[in-house]
Amino acid sequence: MFKKLTIALLLSVFVVILCPINLPTLAASLSDNQWSNHSELPILTVERLAERVESPGISDGIPTIDLREFIVDLTPENREFRDRFYQTLQTELNRSSAAVALDLSHSIIKGEFFGTELGLRAPLYGDALLPLFPPQEREQLQRDRSRLLRLSQLSRSLVGVAPESVQIAVFKAPVKLVQTRFIGSVHFNNTFFLDRLEAMGATFEKNADFSEARFSQSALFYSSIFADSAEFRGSIFFEKSGFNRVLFQQGVNFQKSRFKTTGNFNQVNVSGTGNFSRTLWENNADFSGSQWQDRALFSRAKFTESLFLTETTFEKLASFREARFSKPVNLRGARIRDRLALSDATFSRNAWIEVAGLSFESDTSEITGDPGQIGKKLSVTTLQGNETLLRQLVRNFREQEQIADANQIEYMREKLRQKDLLQRIFGVNINRASIKTLRKLGLSPPQIKAIANAQQERLFGTLSELLTIEEIDLATYIKLRDRAIAGEPLSLAGWLRTTIRWLGVSLLLLLSCYGSSFWLVFGVGMMAISYFGLLFWFVDRYRPFQPQPQIPTVFETAWILGIFSFLSSAGILAIFRTSDRPGLTLACLVILFLPIPALLLWFFYRQSPHIDSLEISYFVEDGGIRQLRLAIGRLPIIPRFAFFRDRYLPILSERRWNWLNYYDFSLNNLLKFGFNDIRVRDKNLPGLISTLVWYQWSLGILYLTLLLWTLSRTIPGLNLLIYLK
């Protein structure tokens, strides 16, 4: 007997290997078998209906008319039963003040199903039904009346005919349609569900109309199938709405609908057009894992809380034109195969779009939005794993000639790079961290032991590899993400190179937003010109040396300080308006401008020089010509050839406009551009003064490079010529 069982088992395995199972075909056959079993259900007759109505069961403590697992024939050929069906149920469901539920779960409904005929039918106007409604629904009913009254007045004034009186259907108790199959159309328009609607796993083979419906309690459509169009236009969901894993094969219309609580649409599949335009979401909207085979329209929608579109796939246009976002939008891991349109969308201060892991699935994929605005709202939390995405976003905006947005993405990328470099310099490397260091990171003893054992076996290439350790959970990884790194330990030379690179990236970010803000560079230049102009005036006009000390007049001092205040205020204003970290930008300027000049001035005034021509200015001007000059290759000291030297004369200190010469020289020395050719003399010039002048000249070379680089990245035509290939 055992031998026979063994042979049979081997034969079964052999057959399975040679004849692999087609899973989709198997699933389809199982589904067909399921409905074939349903086709064997008993047919609901007038007698069975009367029996169930006369003896309702109890479900969840509520009297319930149990019509489960029946075939309900409501076709025109079965007109007599259809009329009795609606009349009997409508009378029983609404004959008393006690709420009676209706359960049609696991049944097959043939023909058109008019759910509105089963509810309590009443005109929209009047106060007879008001005691049935909760306060919030009662207020909504009054708003519906006001809206219809305005429409009636408008129709009467334009057409001269008043619209027909609108009636509503009210369900006081739960309606259960779990795994119910509707072969014909379904009508629940203008219906108030005062209790929950359960339609999990239901199948609607024809169009389903829930337009202008009001769901006072939860409306659950989990795993339902809408084979034809689904209409939820103008509906209101006061409580939980569950459309998880719903399949809309011919599109769905939620236009002008309102969701008072979280709208759950995760893993929904929309084969046709999904129209969610003008919807109002007063809580979170969850579309994570959803699939959109056709257009997804969210135009003029208003999202009061967060919108989740994680792992979502958009095969065609996803339109959020004129939408309003008050909280973040999560597009992490989403896939775009056509276009994500965000034109004229409004974002509050607390709203942004998280695009980490977003992928462009085709050459025509693109994100569009308002120039100069949309780039500021895109956000990526980490550089690792998002380098390709950031390059694609930069190219996306450059191809649309939205240079400011492309620069904003590059600025965000370099900020992430700066953070990554800083972690590599000062962060804890998990590959060489000691037990004491791991304990300081807040890890538990089992986690420390597991990491220590893993260190002996391999090196972690990325910090995310810690998740492969059983003792490390996601919460621990998130806690370590900003405090630790993984990778090859840095040598001393590698540490120095990384530090220098971090300093360079930091300077570019602080002084120019990585070449994306001309006005920030302009503000830095204004600060440099005003500061060094004041400095040159001070060393030239304040000479408390014997035997002939020189001190500037009060009038001259007031003028020079007034111009300095004006120029520096303009520079500070530009910095505060354009830099996202103005304090650090000013601190960087202080480090560049203050220590070295202050040290030079301290030595200069300490040594009390006794040299010739002490009473003559250190600065000279070309007396042969006065004009605007661009002198990038010119040095700040006059030439040695006597013929040229005779053309340079000391600036006139007794003139009231003499202060202009010092700012002119500072402008010349920094930007290699000025109103006149002013330099320092080459005879009897203190070395400390010459060092100060050359220091600003060196900073000017760096500043001019930064300015030209920034202009090349911000001028549209030049930018496209340089960066697009």
Side-chain angles (χ1 to χ4, degrees), residues 66-84:
D66 187 359
L67 298 180
R68 294 177 298 172
E69 300 183 357
F70 278 107
I71 295 178
V72 183
D73 188 358
L74 302 178
T75 58
E77 293 78 10
N78 201 14
R79 180 176 180 180
E80 181 180 355
F81 170 79
R82 182 186 63 183
D83 296 340
R84 291 289 299 275

Side-chain angles (χ1 to χ4, degrees), residues 14 63 75 103 128 153 190 199 241 254 267 297 339 368 380 386 408 453 480 577 609 628 667 674 682 693 696:
F14 182 74
T75 58
D103 192 351
Q153 293 174 347
N190 292 310
S241 56
F254 277 90
Q267 299 183 26
L297 306 179
R339 179 159 55 99
T368 60
V380 174
N386 292 299
Q408 182 64 34
N453 294 335
L480 293 175
R577 287 181 62 88
L628 291 174
L667 178 66
D682 63 338
V693 171
Q696 194 211 15

Side-chain angles (χ1 to χ4, degrees), residues 438-621:
L438 293 175
R439 189 179 297 114
K440 289 182 179 179
L441 291 176
L443 298 177
S444 63
Q447 293 172 337
I448 295 174
K449 183 178 179 181
I451 293 177
N453 294 335
Q455 288 174 343
Q456 300 175 2
E457 299 176 359
R458 61 187 174 111
L459 289 176
F460 294 101
T462 60
L463 197 63
S464 60
E465 293 181 13
L466 288 176
L467 293 173
T468 60
I469 301 177
E470 184 178 354
E471 289 79 5
I472 305 298
D473 55 8
L474 182 60
T476 304
Y477 167 73
I478 294 175
K479 182 171 63 176
L480 293 175
R481 187 170 56 188
D482 295 331
R483 304 173 60 189
I485 60 172
E488 289 287 343
L490 292 176
S491 61
L492 179 59
W495 187 87
L496 289 175
R497 286 195 300 269
T498 305
T499 302
I500 293 174
R501 187 180 180 188
W502 174 77
L503 287 174
V505 172
S506 299
L507 285 175
L508 291 177
L509 290 174
L510 291 175
L511 300 181
S512 68
C513 289
Y514 201 74
S516 63
S517 177
F518 165 77
W519 289 108
L520 177 57
V521 179
F522 174 79
V524 170
M526 293 291 287
M527 293 290 296
I529 293 170
S530 62
Y531 172 75
F532 280 98
L534 178 65
L535 209 59
F536 293 143
W537 170 82
F538 183 77
V539 298
D540 190 45
R541 300 294 294 143
Y542 181 70
R543 304 181 188 179
F545 309 120
Q546 298 298 328
Q548 295 180 352
Q550 296 183 23
I551 298 177
T553 64
V554 175
F555 178 82
E556 183 180 358
T557 304
W559 266 103
I560 199 76
L561 291 179
I563 299 301
F564 168 77
S565 300
F566 174 77
L567 294 179
S568 59
S569 297
I572 292 175
L573 180 62
I575 290 173
F576 271 89
R577 287 181 62 88
T578 55
S579 175
D580 60 345
R581 292 178 291 182
L584 290 178
T585 300
L586 292 177
C588 179
L589 293 180
V590 169
I591 294 174
L592 290 175
F593 295 165
L594 188 60
I596 293 179
L599 188 64
L600 293 175
L601 290 182
W602 185 76
F603 280 114
F604 175 70
Y605 284 105
R606 185 182 180 186
Q607 66 183 8
S608 300
H610 295 278
I611 57 177
D612 295 337
S613 303
L614 187 62
E615 72 283 357
I616 302 176
S617 173
Y618 299 128
F619 301 94
V620 294
E621 62 177 345

Side-chain angles (χ1 to χ4, degrees), residues 316-379:
K316 294 186 179 180
L317 170 67
S319 175
F320 291 86
R321 292 188 179 95
E322 300 184 52
R324 298 177 61 185
F325 301 98
S326 300
K327 293 294 177 65
V329 179
N330 195 331
L331 273 167
R332 184 184 295 270
R335 292 173 290 277
I336 301 175
R337 295 195 173 100
D338 194 292
R339 179 159 55 99
L340 177 63
L342 292 160
S343 304
D344 299 317
T346 304
F347 295 86
S348 70
R349 186 184 300 272
N350 298 323
W352 67 87
I353 304 176
E354 174 61 45
V355 294
L358 178 73
S359 59
F360 293 86
E361 295 290 319
S362 68
D363 295 337
T364 59
S365 302
E366 62 178 357
I367 296 178
T368 60
D370 295 343
Q373 300 297 325
I374 184 62
K376 298 178 181 179
K377 292 302 178 180
L378 300 181
S379 173

Side-chain angles (χ1 to χ4, degrees), residues 42-56:
I43 298 176
L44 183 64
T45 61
V46 175
E47 293 76 14
R48 288 174 175 171
L49 176 62
E51 179 183 349
R52 296 300 177 95
V53 169
E54 291 175 359
S55 57

Side-chain angles (χ1 to χ4, degrees), residues 5-23:
L5 291 175
T6 304
I7 294 173
L9 180 62
L10 291 175
L11 288 174
S12 301
V13 173
F14 182 74
V15 170
V16 170
I17 293 175
L18 292 182
C19 304
I21 297 175
N22 190 325
L23 292 180

Side-chain angles (χ1 to χ4, degrees), residues 88-294:
T88 302
L89 286 181
Q90 203 274 344
T91 302
E92 182 62 26
L93 291 175
N94 305 290
R95 66 182 177 84
S96 63
S97 58
V100 179
L102 175 63
D103 192 351
L104 286 167
S105 301
H106 304 280
S107 295
I108 299 177
I109 312 297
K110 296 182 178 180
E112 284 192 87
F113 182 76
F114 290 91
T116 53
E117 298 295 331
L118 300 179
L120 180 59
R121 301 290 293 176
L124 183 62
Y125 299 97
D127 298 333
L129 296 179
L130 286 182
L132 297 176
F133 293 89
Q136 191 176 14
E137 285 79 351
R138 191 180 304 170
E139 293 177 4
Q140 180 60 43
L141 183 63
Q142 298 291 357
R143 285 194 291 269
D144 290 341
R145 290 175 173 177
S146 300
R147 177 174 58 85
L148 289 175
L149 178 60
R150 290 194 297 270
L151 290 176
S152 175
Q153 293 174 347
L154 180 62
S155 176
R156 187 180 293 109
S157 62
L158 295 178
V159 184
V161 178
E164 296 181 0
S165 177
V166 178
Q167 285 194 333
I168 60 173
V170 181
F171 285 91
K172 298 181 291 183
V175 177
K176 298 182 180 181
L177 306 173
V178 179
Q179 294 190 11
T180 304
R181 183 181 182 185
F182 294 92
I183 298 179
S185 301
V186 177
H187 302 274
F188 278 105
N189 53 304
N190 292 310
T191 301
F192 266 85
F193 294 91
L194 297 181
D195 212 310
R196 64 186 182 276
L197 171 64
E198 300 178 5
M200 294 84 76
T203 300
F204 302 87
E205 297 191 3
K206 299 295 182 180
N207 62 297
D209 188 2
F210 288 86
S211 58
E212 300 292 340
R214 307 291 186 258
F215 301 91
S216 183
Q217 299 298 321
S218 56
L220 307 179
F221 291 86
Y222 302 139
S223 303
S224 295
I225 299 175
F226 292 84
D228 207 326
S229 61
E231 286 285 341
F232 288 86
R233 179 175 46 83
S235 297
I236 299 179
F237 299 85
F238 291 95
E239 292 295 335
K240 181 180 180 181
S241 56
F243 290 86
N244 310 46
R245 300 181 300 279
V246 171
L247 174 60
F248 296 102
Q249 294 183 341
Q250 296 296 327
V252 61
N253 186 1
F254 277 90
Q255 187 179 20
K256 296 183 180 180
S257 294
R258 180 180 300 180
F259 297 83
K260 295 285 188 178
T261 59
T262 300
N264 295 293
F265 288 82
N266 58 307
Q267 299 183 26
V268 68
N269 192 315
V270 185
S271 297
T273 301
N275 190 348
F276 288 82
S277 58
R278 298 177 182 268
T279 49
L280 174 61
W281 308 78
E282 299 186 18
N283 211 303
N284 294 334
D286 185 5
F287 287 88
S288 56
S290 56
Q291 305 284 327
W292 303 80
Q293 310 299 327
D294 208 317

